[in-house]
Amino acid sequence: MNNTPRLRSAYPSSPRSGNKDGGSGNSSGAWADDLPVKSGSPSLSADPFIPLDILDAPSQRFYVSAFYIALTAWRLFDYYRLVSEQTDSLWLFMKWVAIDGVFLYGLPALKVPWLEWSPTSMTVLFLLHASMNAVLMFRIPVYLLLKSRAQDQLDLIYMQIPLEAWLVALTKTLYDRELAVSERRVKPASLLRNSSLILGKQIIHILPEGSATLNSEQRPFCMNSREGTIFLPLRINQTIPILIELLRVDLDTNTNEIITIRSKEIKRLKRQAEKESGTKDASSPQVLRVPVKHTGLYRLQKVVDESNLEVQRQLSDTLVVPCPTASVKSVPKHKCMGRLSDFYLQVDATPPFKLKYSKVINREDQSNVLLNIVPENFNSPLVKQRMPGQLVKLDQGQQTDVSWARNQHMEIPVNETLGVIGGWRYSIDEVHDAFGNIANYTRNDETGYSRGHNIHHEQVFIVHEPPKIALSCNMETPLKVAKGEFITLPVHLSSTGTHRLDSNSNQYRISYTFTPEAEVTLKRNNVSVNTKEISIKDGSIGPRISEPGLYALISVSNEFCSGEIFQPSSCMLLNPPEPNLNIKSTKISDKCANSSIGLLLDLGLVGTPPFHVSYNIKREGKQSGSKETLESKVIKIDHMRTQLELKPSEEGQYTYEFLDIDDAVYPMRSIRDKNLIFHADVRPPASARFTDQNPKQLSCIQQSVAFYVIMSGEAPWTLEYEIAHGKKPDRRVIKNITDHRYELKTPKFTKGGEHLLSLLSVTDGLGCQVFLEQEAKVEVRHHKPEAAFGQLDGRWSIEALEGKTVSLPVRLTGDPPWTITYTHHESDHKALSTHTTLIKHANDVIKVGKPGIYIIKDVHDKSCPGSAGPESSQFRVSWLPRPSVQLADNSVVEVIGGKPYKRALCEEDQDALELSFTGISPFNLKYEVHGKPDHAPAFVSRKKETAGLNAASIRMDTSRSGLYEYKFLELDDQLYEHDRRTFEPLKILQTVYARPSASFVNARKTYSYCKEEAAGDEFIPVKLVGKPPFALEVGIRRHSTSRPEIVTIPHIETHNYNFQIPHLVLALGKHSVTIRKVQDGNGCQRVTEFDGPVVHVDVVDIPNISPLEAAVDFCVGDRISYTLSGTPPFNVFYTFAGADRKASVATTSFRRIAERPGDFTITGVSDKASTDACRSRINITKVIHELPSVRISKGRTAEVDIHEGSEAEILFEFGGTPPFEFTYTRSTNAAKGKSSVVLETKNEVSTEHSMSIKASEEGTYEVVSIRDRFCGFTSHRDERRSKQQLLTYK
């Protein structure tokens, strides 16, 4: 196709999108060189605005053309509105000039191929469109200039082109709707092709002979104790039976029985069937509900109709059996875990049947079980029928066996291991018999009878855990108890699974044996063994025993289960000997003093360790000579023998008396009767020791420490000690020490580090010297702690945000934690407060929240006091200033009544308020505008202004007149958020005057007068709004001139003014009066030169109207036409259906389509320039008749079944004015997917509104046309004639 030769005048081929190298072999330059390029036009190689690979060139041109067509349609629609509604011509002209300019001059920017025209071409096209817009919108007539020669002279003839008529005709072609007599647009086709005028059709079928079938749907039936009667469905078709015989075979005896239903009962059954079906048509199929009261096999034996002929019947058997039932053969509900459920489900039903039951364990684990149950050696014809619908064969003279249909009782065992403790529930859900009858025990059945679960349909088990028992003692660790005392046998009772006792069990039975201790070791057969049994409720409390011997568990059980014996199951009980004590004493002597310093006691014990022995220590007083008890002691002894060394630290005569003893079995008992009393005259040796076991202290430099030393022996004492630090120790001696508790103070330490204090020796008053090995450590700090403020940016000062917490850096030396005391001063160094704080880190901060000077006064670390640095002990804190707002110096504000007001101005004048800020930019200013407009509800507008510099300009609201108050409520800058406690709001008020307005009282009113009444001056009422005095400027323009005449009226003191039109401007034709400008006493003015109010003044002749047709009677869908004389447009006044209406007509032809019946009367007409006084008064009446209608079978599609030779009645119902002539057809009954064929066509005439005919032939009957006295209608398309022949009586 691309290689086809082209004419020289042909368009170049469209550029192809997506052309790649090596594609088709032709590069883009191969075809571009052949294109005819106009000189000066843009290069075609430039890429379009929309790439060609997205949208190819033909599509782009198509969319541009479619858009241009849409614009043209919109333009014609505006022109049609201009003609019909008399809209503003100037506005439409300006609108379309702007749209055409944007479209034509914007098209080259898209660079669409073939549409890239030069600017000169675009300008020419724009001027052509503008000229077309002027012709259309201003309705300028277009003339054609013709040349004519007559008598050797050349004459020029102007012929007007009917452009307006052509465009209106084109619009109506595209928009196929016409105005109806009710002044709404309707589609003529909807009136002429109204399918609802001919409705309904009747279809006649020739049916075969009648039939009867028993239970045609093969439904199952069963009978229970609640339902004494079952209704069997008997379907009859095309027959009226008078006798029905049913054959019944009894299920229990296999005997036959004939059930006869007579005519009377059949009529009752038919009435019931007709009531249920809602139809009494005997030809329609009906279902008779035949009642039966006994179970058995039923078969339709004979049906005789009203002609005494036997009706054809279909042989089928229907079984009515007892309804299936199921129950549970209950057993005791308490079971032990691991046992079998062991119960039975009892079913009574016709086999084979299905049984469904559910199992729930502890209300969580649920499962369903479905059982299919067939008895052994069971044979049923249900699965191998002899004939369709027949279950048995009835032989003459032989008895029919239906025993297989009888109910059978079966018990189905359920044996399942109960392996989970808790609640088990087995519930029967459903049972199905062989015929499909269902007994549901979980919901309501079809009869509405509730068959919910009850005790007969469920088996509940409570499964318990067997207990287990063991002893807490065994043979290796026997029980020990004092003679004659009782002890509880330590049994541990629990369950075998969860180790928790069964909460449902209230009592446990325990059996055990007892063998006396004397016979345990005997190896003979006749050892006496006693068996005992007890009952307990608490699993931790066993039997109480006291006799020594062997106890062994035999069994354990509760009220539900027997338990299991676990090891250890046997235990010995022993009675150990009572505790006793034997003591031997030896004196302890001092070699230096040659005296006794204490006693050494050797203790021998009898009993069960551990032992507790109590004794008293007494010493004889030095002055009174009597013995005083110093203390009582109790010692614990873990063995059978031990030694006790008694060495008192003070001199005196001591007495030791042993009082009581106990062991692990026996409680404390007295041993005073053994008189275990020992005496000792004690003189202890000299000694000295620190009171602390590990003496160690910390000390600061230039401080001393003290240690307490306990002295013993004969006073006075001499103590020798040394302090070692470095190479040379400092040895010192303290003499004449008389106190037993002595405070040893060291000298002040001048060097830091570790110092060792050692006790070397002590000498008592007898001269006995004892060397000592007691040591104490003293850790001396090297330096005192110091505290100072750190610097921030090299300074001991900071400027912070007001109210913020400031962290002052602190530098500390020493051991944490530190306690710092500092003071807060004002700028004049006056102390305000003193604070103490605890600091745990060497480089920490002190948080403060007030400005001023902070001075560190004192510091103390973990153990030592310190000092503050002289230069860095002070820190200054000050606040940054907060932002503020105020009026700029150039803002003109005057105070009225104590409130600041800005200069008043007129509505919609521009004004601004200048503000200045202090602080750090940017500033965020929030303010409210409280407006009270004159003609609107008050409002509050919240606004926000962000200023990047220290000045801002706020635009004033002048959109509506009223009083406005500006409240500047919140201000924040880069540093501070708004604080209403410190910010002082700024308020400014301003008055905005409303602009005056002027309007005609009767805006857009046309003051029309008849030509005879055109003389005289007319007044046009004008309403003025504003503050007097007013100045008014009015423009008066004739339609024949384009320049208006300006009339100025100054000093109008009232709000209502009657404008007097100058007499010279009123002539034959139309005038437009507009208000151009108005000004009030506030100096505000409103200019309404282009959109101001307008009224029209006309001087006209009287118009006239005449019908085009002399006929008076018309049909719905006909067009009623008139011709008008006068100046278009016209207003036609008429009445239709009792309502007065008014129609606007743009041409001299008035036509309306008759959409519904009624009297259509023209009462008057006025034209473009006339008024009501000039309106013509006429009375032209036309009568509109409705189209005739016909309905078959009440407008529905009815199907009638008849027998061969019978007849069916077809009813025709007519609407309209008689007489009626109609045509109907009989066609074949169409099969699915095929069309019918017309067999015959007939015409009938009826003088009434209804008519019936008899039909005996099969087919579809429907009307194709109808005609009454005035009108006619046919259902075939395009066959309605414009003029119908009217039917008349002869």
Side-chain angles (χ1 to χ4, degrees):
M1 294 293 292
N2 294 333
N3 297 325
T4 302
R6 294 180 178 267
L7 298 176
R8 294 183 180 180
S9 60
Y11 283 103
S13 59
S14 300
R16 292 168 291 184
S17 61
N19 203 3
K20 304 293 183 178
D21 292 340
S24 61
N26 294 331
S27 64
S28 60
W31 55 266
D33 293 341
D34 295 336
L35 292 176
V37 181
K38 183 178 179 180
S39 177
S41 64
S43 176
L44 294 177
S45 62
D47 293 333
F49 180 78
I50 301 176
L52 296 179
D53 54 354
I54 296 178
L55 190 64
D56 56 15
S59 298
Q60 294 189 26
R61 290 193 294 272
F62 170 75
Y63 290 130
V64 171
S65 301
F67 184 70
Y68 180 77
I69 293 173
L71 289 179
T72 304
W74 186 14
R75 192 193 323 267
L76 293 177
F77 177 73
D78 283 350
Y79 174 71
Y80 180 76
R81 289 182 54 205
L82 174 67
V83 173
S84 60
E85 301 178 10
Q86 298 297 314
T87 55
D88 192 0
S89 300
L90 180 60
W91 158 245
L92 292 176
F93 172 73
M94 296 174 60
K95 166 185 170 183
W96 281 106
V97 168
I99 292 176
D100 290 337
V102 172
F103 175 75
L104 294 175
Y105 287 106
L107 183 59
L110 298 178
K111 299 180 181 179
V112 179
W114 298 357
L115 299 180
E116 297 182 79
W117 297 318
S118 65
T120 303
S121 301
M122 287 298 175
T123 304
V124 172
L125 289 175
F126 174 72
L127 294 177
L128 291 176
H129 280 77
S131 301
M132 181 179 64
N133 292 330
V135 170
L136 293 177
M137 303 310 165
F138 292 112
R139 301 176 67 181
I140 301 174
V142 180
Y143 294 92
L144 182 62
L145 181 61
L146 300 177
K147 295 181 181 180
S148 176
R149 287 186 178 272
Q151 297 178 358
D152 297 332
Q153 292 183 357
L154 181 61
D155 295 332
L156 298 179
I157 301 176
Y158 293 91
M159 184 178 67
Q160 184 176 0
I161 300 176
L163 181 62
E164 181 174 325
W166 292 350
L167 293 177
V168 171
L170 176 62
T171 304
K172 287 192 175 182
T173 302
L174 299 176
Y175 185 69
D176 186 19
R177 286 181 180 268
E178 294 185 25
L179 279 172
V181 293
S182 60
E183 288 305 314
R184 67 185 186 95
R185 295 189 177 274
V186 297
K187 290 184 178 181
S190 64
L191 301 176
L192 301 177
R193 300 173 184 175
N194 189 357
S195 59
S196 63
L197 296 176
I198 299 178
L199 293 176
K201 59 182 177 180
Q202 186 155 326
I203 302 174
I204 298 177
H205 297 281
I206 303 299
L207 297 179
E209 294 296 329
S211 62
T213 305
L214 179 65
N215 193 15
S216 60
E217 298 179 358
Q218 294 296 312
R219 291 175 50 196
F221 293 94
C222 69
M223 186 176 296
N224 52 35
S225 58
R226 299 186 311 276
E227 300 173 351
T229 302
I230 294 296
F231 296 91
L232 300 181
L234 176 60
R235 187 177 188 273
I236 60 175
N237 186 23
Q238 299 296 327
T239 184
I240 300 178
I242 61 173
L243 177 67
I244 299 174
E245 289 185 358
L246 294 179
L247 173 65
R248 172 180 171 267
V249 180
D250 190 87
L251 300 182
D252 297 327
T253 62
N254 293 333
T255 59
N256 298 346
E257 176 189 3
I258 299 297
I259 300 174
T260 303
I261 303 175
R262 300 295 180 182
S263 176
K264 182 177 180 180
E265 179 67 16
I266 293 174
K267 290 180 180 180
R268 186 187 66 82
L269 296 178
K270 281 182 62 63
R271 287 196 300 269
Q272 183 179 0
E274 292 172 354
K275 183 178 179 180
E276 293 178 356
S277 62
T279 178
K280 295 184 178 180
D281 189 359
S283 62
S284 300
Q286 292 181 337
V287 178
L288 307 182
R289 293 166 53 95
V290 180
V292 296
K293 297 183 178 180
H294 301 283
T295 60
L297 184 145
Y298 289 86
R299 178 179 294 179
L300 186 61
Q301 186 76 7
K302 181 191 295 186
V303 177
V304 179
D305 64 3
E306 58 186 358
S307 59
N308 289 324
L309 295 177
E310 188 171 344
V311 178
Q312 181 181 359
R313 54 190 172 83
Q314 181 179 353
L315 294 180
S316 61
D317 294 336
T318 299
L319 270 167
V320 179
V321 297
C323 291
T325 60
S327 61
V328 174
K329 190 175 182 180
S330 301
V331 296
K333 67 178 182 178
H334 291 284
K335 294 279 187 176
C336 292
M337 187 177 67
R339 302 290 178 86
L340 296 177
S341 56
D342 194 18
F343 71 98
Y344 291 89
L345 301 177
Q346 302 178 119
V347 180
D348 290 278
T350 303
F353 53 81
K354 297 179 182 179
L355 177 64
K356 180 181 179 182
Y357 69 91
S358 59
K359 177 181 65 177
V360 180
I361 303 175
N362 292 328
R363 298 183 180 180
E364 296 179 356
D365 186 12
Q366 183 171 359
S367 59
N368 296 313
V369 180
L370 180 64
L371 302 176
N372 294 314
I373 302 171
V374 181
E376 294 182 1
N377 301 322
F378 180 74
N379 188 13
S380 174
L382 293 176
V383 295
K384 48 180 181 179
Q385 295 179 339
R386 297 178 180 271
M387 295 176 62
Q390 296 187 26
L391 298 176
V392 295
K393 182 178 179 181
L394 299 178
D395 296 330
Q396 296 294 335
Q398 294 185 4
Q399 195 176 39
T400 303
D401 183 15
V402 291
S403 60
W404 49 268
R406 300 171 186 168
N407 267 22
Q408 294 190 21
H409 177 80
M410 296 190 67
E411 293 187 355
I412 297 92
V414 179
N415 281 315
E416 186 176 359
T417 302
L418 305 177
V420 179
I421 64 170
W424 289 56
R425 186 182 68 192
Y426 293 87
S427 305
I428 298 177
D429 295 334
E430 293 178 353
V431 57
H432 303 236
D433 66 3
F435 305 102
N437 298 302
I438 302 174
N440 192 315
Y441 297 100
T442 61
R443 56 178 174 83
N444 293 347
D445 59 11
E446 295 180 355
T447 63
Y449 179 75
S450 175
R451 294 186 175 184
H453 288 140
N454 53 44
I455 58 175
H456 301 292
H457 302 134
E458 65 179 16
Q459 173 66 51
V460 176
F461 291 115
I462 299 177
V463 180
H464 306 273
E465 276 192 289
K468 76 171 185 178
I469 191 170
L471 296 177
S472 299
C473 59
N474 51 35
M475 298 296 292
E476 286 72 21
T477 56
L479 297 176
K480 296 180 181 180
V481 67
K483 293 180 180 179
E485 298 292 334
F486 286 88
I487 190 173
T488 301
L489 185 64
V491 298
H492 179 68
L493 189 63
S494 63
S495 65
T496 58
T498 61
H499 302 286
R500 292 183 290 106
L501 294 179
D502 192 342
S503 58
N504 296 318
S505 181
N506 296 323
Q507 195 171 19
Y508 295 88
R509 294 183 296 276
I510 301 175
S511 298
Y512 65 94
T513 61
F514 168 69
T515 304
E517 182 182 9
E519 300 182 4
V520 170
T521 57
L522 297 178
K523 297 182 180 180
R524 58 185 182 180
N525 297 328
N526 57 351
V527 175
S528 62
V529 177
N530 298 325
T531 302
K532 298 182 179 181
E533 182 177 336
I534 63 170
S535 296
I536 62 174
K537 293 184 178 181
D538 191 347
S540 61
I541 300 177
R544 294 181 61 78
I545 56 177
S546 63
E547 297 183 20
L550 178 64
Y551 292 85
L553 298 175
I554 300 176
S555 66
V556 61
S557 64
N558 57 20
E559 55 186 330
F560 307 114
C561 307
S562 59
E564 186 177 357
I565 305 298
F566 283 70
Q567 295 297 327
S569 61
S570 59
C571 183
M572 283 291 295
L573 177 64
L574 302 178
N575 292 138
E578 297 181 357
N580 201 353
L581 177 63
N582 295 317
I583 302 176
K584 293 182 180 180
S585 63
T586 304
K587 291 184 177 181
I588 303 175
S589 301
D590 184 17
K591 296 179 180 180
C592 175
N594 195 18
S595 62
S596 174
I597 60 175
L599 288 176
L600 178 63
L601 302 181
D602 188 10
L603 280 69
L605 297 102
V606 177
T608 305
F611 301 92
H612 292 87
V613 179
S614 63
Y615 64 93
N616 288 339
I617 302 175
K618 297 181 179 180
R619 186 179 67 176
E620 185 177 353
K622 296 182 180 180
Q623 298 179 356
S624 62
S626 62
K627 293 184 178 180
E628 57 182 1
T629 301
L630 295 180
E631 60 179 332
S632 296
K633 290 187 176 182
V634 177
I635 59 174
K636 180 181 179 181
I637 303 172
D638 295 326
H639 306 286
M640 303 297 290
R641 299 193 64 84
T642 188
Q643 286 186 340
L644 180 64
E645 189 177 68
L646 303 174
K647 296 172 65 177
S649 59
E650 297 182 4
E651 177 184 1
Q653 293 184 357
Y654 291 87
T655 301
Y656 301 93
E657 181 180 6
F658 289 85
L659 305 175
D660 304 294
I661 185 173
D662 70 355
D663 62 0
V665 177
Y666 292 90
M668 188 69 70
R669 55 176 297 182
S670 176
I671 53 175
R672 298 173 187 264
D673 56 347
K674 300 192 68 173
N675 197 21
L676 298 177
I677 301 174
F678 303 93
H679 302 278
D681 187 4
V682 177
R683 292 186 178 183
S687 67
R689 59 183 178 84
F690 292 111
T691 56
D692 297 332
Q693 295 293 332
N694 297 309
K696 183 177 181 181
Q697 292 190 27
L698 294 176
S699 177
C700 302
I701 198 74
Q702 298 296 331
Q703 288 185 351
S704 62
V705 297
F707 293 94
Y708 286 96
V709 181
I710 302 299
M711 312 297 295
S712 62
E714 294 288 338
W717 293 276
T718 300
L719 180 62
E720 182 179 7
Y721 70 95
E722 71 176 6
I723 299 174
H725 178 71
K727 297 181 179 180
K728 184 177 180 181
D730 181 13
R731 181 169 295 188
R732 298 172 180 266
V733 177
I734 303 175
K735 298 181 179 180
N736 297 323
I737 299 174
T738 58
D739 296 332
H740 288 276
R741 182 181 176 87
Y742 178 72
E743 182 181 10
L744 176 61
K745 291 186 177 181
T746 65
K748 293 184 178 181
F749 297 102
T750 58
K751 296 181 180 180
E754 185 181 72
H755 295 69
L756 186 64
L757 173 63
S758 302
L759 300 182
L760 301 179
S761 66
V762 60
T763 304
D764 62 1
L766 299 179
C768 294
Q769 182 179 16
V770 178
F771 294 96
L772 304 175
E773 296 181 355
Q774 293 282 322
E775 290 184 351
K777 292 183 180 180
V778 179
E779 188 69 30
V780 181
R781 297 271 297 276
H782 291 276
H783 301 284
K784 292 182 178 181
E786 292 185 356
F789 284 115
Q791 292 183 342
L792 292 176
D793 297 332
R795 298 178 300 164
W796 283 289
S797 63
I798 187 175
E799 288 184 342
L801 297 178
E802 182 179 350
K804 298 293 183 180
T805 301
V806 181
S807 298
L808 306 182
V810 180
R811 305 294 180 257
L812 302 166
T813 60
D815 293 336
W818 293 268
T819 301
I820 294 180
T821 302
Y822 63 94
T823 58
H824 174 215
H825 301 258
E826 290 183 347
S827 57
D828 55 358
H829 296 281
K830 180 181 178 181
L832 296 178
S833 58
T834 302
H835 306 272
T836 301
T837 182
L838 181 68
I839 298 178
K840 297 182 179 180
H841 304 286
N843 297 290
D844 213 328
V845 294
I846 297 177
K847 296 184 180 296
V848 298
K850 296 181 179 179
I853 300 175
Y854 293 87
I855 302 176
I856 298 177
K857 292 296 186 180
D858 187 25
V859 63
H860 198 289
D861 69 353
K862 181 180 180 180
S863 55
C864 299
S867 60
E871 297 181 356
S872 56
S873 62
Q874 296 185 7
F875 205 101
R876 180 182 297 274
V877 177
S878 58
W879 295 145
L880 291 168
R882 285 187 169 273
S884 62
V885 60
Q886 56 274 341
L887 295 176
D889 296 337
N890 58 351
S891 296
V892 179
V893 177
E894 58 179 338
V895 179
I896 301 175
K899 296 182 179 180
Y901 279 80
K902 191 168 173 57
R903 178 180 58 85
L905 73 167
C906 296
E907 188 177 10
E908 296 182 353
D909 287 351
Q910 301 296 324
D911 194 11
L913 181 65
E914 303 295 332
L915 301 176
S916 62
F917 302 95
T918 59
I920 299 178
S921 60
F923 300 92
N924 294 317
L925 177 64
K926 294 182 179 180
Y927 63 96
E928 293 181 352
V929 180
H930 294 256
K932 297 180 180 179
D934 294 333
H935 305 289
F939 67 91
V940 177
S941 177
R942 294 175 176 83
K943 298 184 179 181
K944 181 179 179 182
E945 184 74 21
T946 301
L949 301 175
N950 290 345
S953 178
I954 303 299
R955 185 176 180 180
M956 313 298 281
D957 188 357
T958 61
S959 59
R960 290 177 290 183
S961 62
L963 179 63
Y964 294 85
E965 183 179 7
Y966 298 83
K967 295 182 179 180
F968 300 94
L969 303 176
E970 297 183 13
L971 177 65
D972 59 69
D973 62 357
Q974 188 177 9
L975 299 179
Y976 286 98
E977 294 182 353
H978 172 72
D979 189 355
R980 60 182 180 180
R981 296 172 297 179
T982 60
F983 180 74
E984 183 177 357
L986 178 64
K987 300 181 180 179
I988 301 294
L989 290 88
Q990 186 179 43
T991 301
V992 178
Y993 296 129
R995 292 187 181 273
S997 64
S999 60
F1000 294 110
V1001 176
N1002 300 315
R1004 294 189 177 274
K1005 178 181 178 182
T1006 300
Y1007 293 85
S1008 299
Y1009 304 94
C1010 297
K1011 186 176 181 181
E1012 293 79 7
E1013 300 175 2
D1017 296 335
E1018 299 294 333
F1019 294 92
I1020 300 176
V1022 179
K1023 183 179 180 180
L1024 301 169
V1025 178
K1027 181 180 180 182
F1030 299 95
L1032 190 63
E1033 184 179 298
V1034 179
I1036 303 171
R1037 182 177 65 89
R1038 296 181 183 178
H1039 274 212
S1040 59
T1041 61
S1042 60
R1043 182 175 182 180
E1045 183 178 349
I1046 307 301
V1047 178
T1048 303
I1049 306 101
H1051 304 294
I1052 302 174
E1053 298 293 340
T1054 62
H1055 289 86
N1056 294 309
Y1057 177 72
N1058 290 326
F1059 174 58
Q1060 183 178 4
I1061 303 175
H1063 182 69
L1064 297 177
V1065 302
L1066 292 178
L1068 186 62
K1070 185 174 182 179
H1071 305 74
S1072 295
V1073 182
T1074 59
I1075 298 175
R1076 298 169 59 88
K1077 184 170 65 175
V1078 62
Q1079 183 175 347
D1080 67 351
N1082 290 326
C1084 300
Q1085 67 178 8
R1086 183 184 299 274
V1087 179
T1088 58
E1089 181 177 357
F1090 299 104
D1091 57 350
V1094 60
V1095 295
H1096 304 284
V1097 177
D1098 291 340
V1099 179
V1100 297
D1101 288 331
I1102 298 176
N1104 193 17
I1105 184 170
S1106 301
L1108 293 180
E1109 294 178 287
V1112 177
D1113 296 304
F1114 289 83
C1115 299
V1116 172
D1118 289 344
R1119 293 172 177 84
I1120 308 175
S1121 302
Y1122 300 86
T1123 181
L1124 300 166
S1125 62
T1127 304
F1130 299 90
N1131 289 326
V1132 179
F1133 301 89
Y1134 64 92
T1135 59
F1136 178 72
D1140 294 331
R1141 302 178 187 272
K1142 176 183 177 182
S1144 298
V1145 183
T1147 63
T1148 59
S1149 177
F1150 174 62
R1151 185 176 69 173
R1152 290 292 184 267
I1153 189 169
E1155 65 167 324
R1156 53 195 175 98
D1159 291 340
F1160 180 74
T1161 303
I1162 303 293
T1163 60
V1165 62
S1166 63
D1167 63 358
K1168 180 178 181 181
S1170 64
T1171 61
D1172 290 342
C1174 300
R1175 186 174 71 179
S1176 60
R1177 309 294 178 177
I1178 56 178
N1179 187 359
I1180 303 175
T1181 302
K1182 304 291 183 182
V1183 180
I1184 303 174
H1185 301 277
E1186 65 177 348
L1187 292 176
S1189 62
V1190 61
R1191 287 170 172 77
I1192 300 179
S1193 302
K1194 304 295 183 180
R1196 300 188 300 268
T1197 299
E1199 295 189 16
V1200 179
D1201 298 331
I1202 63 175
H1203 293 284
E1204 188 73 29
S1206 301
E1207 290 183 339
E1209 183 181 15
I1210 304 176
L1211 177 63
F1212 298 89
E1213 296 176 311
F1214 306 104
T1217 305
F1220 301 97
E1221 180 181 355
F1222 64 96
T1223 302
Y1224 70 94
T1225 62
R1226 181 177 70 88
S1227 57
T1228 59
N1229 294 333
K1232 187 175 182 181
K1234 297 182 180 180
S1235 59
S1236 60
V1237 178
V1238 176
L1239 300 177
E1240 59 178 332
T1241 303
K1242 293 184 179 182
N1243 295 323
E1244 298 289 344
V1245 176
S1246 174
T1247 59
E1248 302 294 334
H1249 284 85
S1250 64
M1251 179 180 179
S1252 62
I1253 62 174
K1254 299 290 185 179
S1256 60
E1257 295 182 278
E1258 186 176 46
T1260 300
Y1261 295 80
E1262 54 186 337
V1263 177
V1264 295
S1265 66
I1266 177 69
R1267 185 163 38 181
D1268 67 353
R1269 179 183 296 274
F1270 301 104
C1271 307
F1273 180 78
T1274 179
S1275 62
H1276 297 290
R1277 295 183 179 179
D1278 301 328
E1279 287 189 7
R1280 183 180 184 274
R1281 294 189 292 268
S1282 60
K1283 293 186 178 180
Q1284 304 283 352
Q1285 181 180 357
L1286 303 181
L1287 298 181
T1288 58
Y1289 290 106
K1290 294 183 179 179

